[in-house]
Amino acid sequence: MHLVDIDDLTAEELHAVLDEADRLRAAHEAGEPDRPLPDRTLAMVFEKPSTRTRVSFETGMTQLGGHAVFLGPDDIHLGHGEPLRDTARVLSRYVDFIMARVFDHADVVELAEFATVPVINGLSDDAHPCQTLGDLLTIRDRFGTLDVSVAWVGDGNNVCQSLALGAAMTDLDLTIATPEGYEIADGVRRRTLGLDSPPEETDDPEAAVADADVVYTDVWVSMGEEDEREAKLRAFEGFQMTADRLGDRPLMHCLPAHRGEEVTDEVMEGDHLAWDQAENRMHAQKGLLSWLAGQTVSA
Ligand code: CP
Ligand code: NVA
């Protein structure tokens, strides 16, 4: 079992991961931590920078009784000097899980194909399933249910695409507002259409937020898109999350936030869910690691 994108899980499995996250969090908070992964090691392969993913996985593994090894872009031969498939084969001889943050989504697919231990996508250009797990946990914490209306206002890339799939698998009622040309990919849309409750799509941010319980945004210029910066800033004009547009709805943001672009400084300094989301990355990933340890890799 790998987690290349959120729909590698069934809806039932997704809920089982969230429930395991809740169980582990409650045990930790009660001062009776469960440590189901003694002597287990997670390799963390990073082609891009990270604050939350790196620290939440490393801390999470420690809390589970295991250990995490950070492998940055200059530390191993990933894709240069050694084919990816060899890295996958060799890491699998040492560690119990591989988490990888890559540019090209095909690279995490290849790692999963050749690894004999679970591979977890820690963000690719196309998907961020660990973010979706943390986001669903955050919504469930706040509202006691996933039957909540969420408006996505921003880019239809990685974070949005995994959220779209996660929403389609659950009761989450998602409306996605993106500028023309920045919608979710056709292939992702097709996958959502094969699930229970596919999201609605619009190019009108006001229409998307009108009936929303929660609003979610992400950066306009993602990691690796620096050359597209000017074009993207022009395309996303009118999509900024201002205090007026947000009203009294909670804001979600996967972070990092680019203040003055997708969100104002005033909104980021206000009351929002981004810090809970960041914390819940750790709880959700602990749930995922503990749950994955009980699965077979080929399942
Ligand atoms: N949201 C998220 O994945 O943050 P990092 O880039 O800091 O890991
Ligand atoms: N869309 C952003 C998400 C960062 C967590 C990026 O890819 O940079």
Side-chain angles (χ1 to χ4, degrees):
M1 178 88 213
H2 302 289
L3 189 74
V4 173
D5 207 343
I6 196 76
D7 57 343
D8 287 342
L9 300 171
T10 63
E12 193 181 342
E13 290 169 340
L14 191 159
H15 284 102
V17 169
L18 298 181
D19 291 346
E20 178 66 352
D22 271 342
R23 188 188 71 76
L24 289 164
R25 175 170 53 183
H28 190 82
E29 287 175 359
E32 294 166 356
D34 189 8
R35 303 195 197 283
L37 302 181
D39 300 327
R40 304 288 184 96
T41 302
L42 167 72
M44 305 191 299
V45 176
F46 282 95
E47 285 186 342
K48 298 177 181 178
S50 167
T51 300
R52 281 143 290 269
T53 304
R54 184 208 168 149
V55 180
S56 59
F57 264 110
E58 186 161 344
T59 308
M61 271 308 277
T62 303
Q63 291 186 5
L64 292 169
H67 176 69
V69 181
F70 174 76
L71 301 167
D74 299 324
D75 293 332
I76 56 171
H77 304 281
L78 190 75
H80 43 90
E82 184 165 71
L84 276 175
R85 59 190 60 191
D86 291 359
T87 302
R89 289 169 170 135
V90 171
L91 287 179
S92 299
R93 298 292 179 110
Y94 302 125
V95 305
D96 302 282
F97 311 91
I98 299 169
M99 187 278 291
R101 168 167 288 197
V102 299
F103 288 96
D104 188 349
H105 186 75
D107 287 350
V108 70
V109 172
E110 183 170 346
L111 285 173
E113 188 180 347
F114 289 93
T116 55
V117 298
V119 170
I120 301 167
N121 183 354
L123 180 132
S124 65
D125 286 348
D126 295 352
H128 200 0
C130 294
Q131 185 68 51
T132 303
L133 289 175
D135 294 344
L136 295 177
L137 195 63
T138 303
I139 291 167
R140 220 168 70 159
D141 286 351
R142 172 62 70 103
F143 295 94
T145 174
L146 289 178
D147 191 4
V148 168
S149 292
V150 178
W152 175 276
V153 177
D155 202 350
N157 68 352
N158 43 24
V159 174
C160 180
Q161 296 195 136
S162 291
L163 185 67
L165 290 161
M169 292 165 69
T170 63
D171 291 338
L172 198 77
D173 178 12
L174 179 67
T175 301
I176 299 172
T178 52
E180 199 184 328
Y182 294 96
E183 299 88 354
I184 59 172
D186 290 341
V188 173
R189 185 176 303 111
R190 272 195 296 279
R191 279 152 65 199
T192 67
L193 291 171
L195 295 162
D196 281 350
S197 53
E200 306 256 317
E201 293 182 73
T202 175
D203 61 2
D204 180 352
E206 291 299 331
V209 301
D211 295 321
D213 300 312
V214 191
V215 178
Y216 196 150
T217 192
D218 181 15
V219 294
W220 293 341
V221 183
S222 284
M223 290 179 272
E225 294 185 336
E226 292 72 18
D227 291 351
E228 298 168 47
R229 181 174 175 77
E230 294 312 316
K232 291 200 82 171
L233 293 189
R234 272 197 304 278
F236 282 84
E237 263 176 36
F239 277 70
Q240 189 180 60
M241 201 45 58
T242 60
D244 274 354
R245 174 168 282 159
L246 186 61
D248 56 7
R249 301 172 191 89
L251 180 75
M252 295 181 71
H253 196 310
C254 54
L255 303 175
H258 294 172
R259 294 161 191 238
E261 295 183 13
E262 79 280 2
V263 63
T264 61
D265 187 57
E266 180 190 4
V267 168
M268 280 313 293
E269 287 303 318
D271 186 23
H272 52 67
L273 281 170
W275 315 134
D276 289 345
Q277 284 176 268
E279 177 181 334
N280 280 335
R281 289 290 305 280
M282 181 178 72
H283 301 305
Q285 289 155 195
K286 283 173 66 181
L288 174 69
L289 290 161
S290 173
W291 182 84
L292 277 173
Q295 308 297 313
T296 57
V297 174
S298 57

